[in-house]
Amino acid sequence: QVQLVESGGGLVQAGGSLRLSCASSGSIFSLNRMGWYHQAPGNQRELVASITSGGRMAYADSVKGRFTISRDNAKNMVYLQMNSLKPEDAGVYYCNADQIIGIKMYNLWGQGTQVTVSS
């Protein structure tokens, strides 16, 4: 199983931008789908964006037009470009992936990266 490591979080003013990165320890060609989840304090993790191995993207309504997910297969990286950030976007962002090994599918998580948005 690959390991996922997020980076790029930090403190930003409302209206600002951040780019989150997710580094895979192995080739992301083996990862069927990758996504970014957001967990605000006291809330469950929610999917904000996903991208398939074929490049098909999907977004939560709350981030459409503001966030962009992308992947760089050569670098084994997935990114989340976050623009026009709002205070409600604050929280921990987790990278997630489904990896199929043989006949088993593994759901993998990174450790998360903190995003703070000041109003």
Side-chain angles (χ1 to χ4, degrees):
Q1 301 174 21
V2 302
Q3 305 296 316
L4 304 175
V5 179
E6 302 95 334
S7 61
L11 172 63
V12 63
Q13 286 188 331
S17 298
L18 281 175
R19 189 176 83 151
L20 306 183
S21 299
C22 175
S24 169
S25 62
S27 172
I28 63 173
F29 280 112
S30 68
L31 304 178
N32 183 46
R33 180 199 62 86
M34 299 189 74
W36 286 95
Y37 283 72
H38 170 229
Q39 186 168 24
N43 291 355
Q44 293 184 333
R45 292 183 192 182
E46 296 180 339
L47 179 65
V48 295
S50 64
I51 186 167
T52 68
S53 56
R56 181 172 296 179
M57 297 168 283
Y59 298 93
D61 288 343
S62 60
V63 306
K64 282 181 181 176
R66 300 189 298 122
F67 291 11
T68 302
I69 189 171
S70 61
R71 60 193 289 165
D72 186 332
N73 292 334
K75 295 182 178 179
N76 297 323
M77 298 287 292
V78 175
Y79 305 98
L80 184 68
Q81 178 67 43
M82 305 188 296
N83 298 329
S84 302
L85 281 161
K86 303 176 181 179
E88 53 263 42
D89 295 322
V92 182
Y93 284 77
Y94 296 91
C95 182
N96 173 264
D98 293 329
Q99 184 178 22
I100 297 174
I101 302 176
I103 61 172
K104 293 185 178 180
M105 187 174 77
Y106 298 89
N107 189 246
L108 309 173
W109 292 93
Q111 83 290 349
T113 186
Q114 179 74 45
V115 171
T116 303
V117 183
S118 62
S119 57

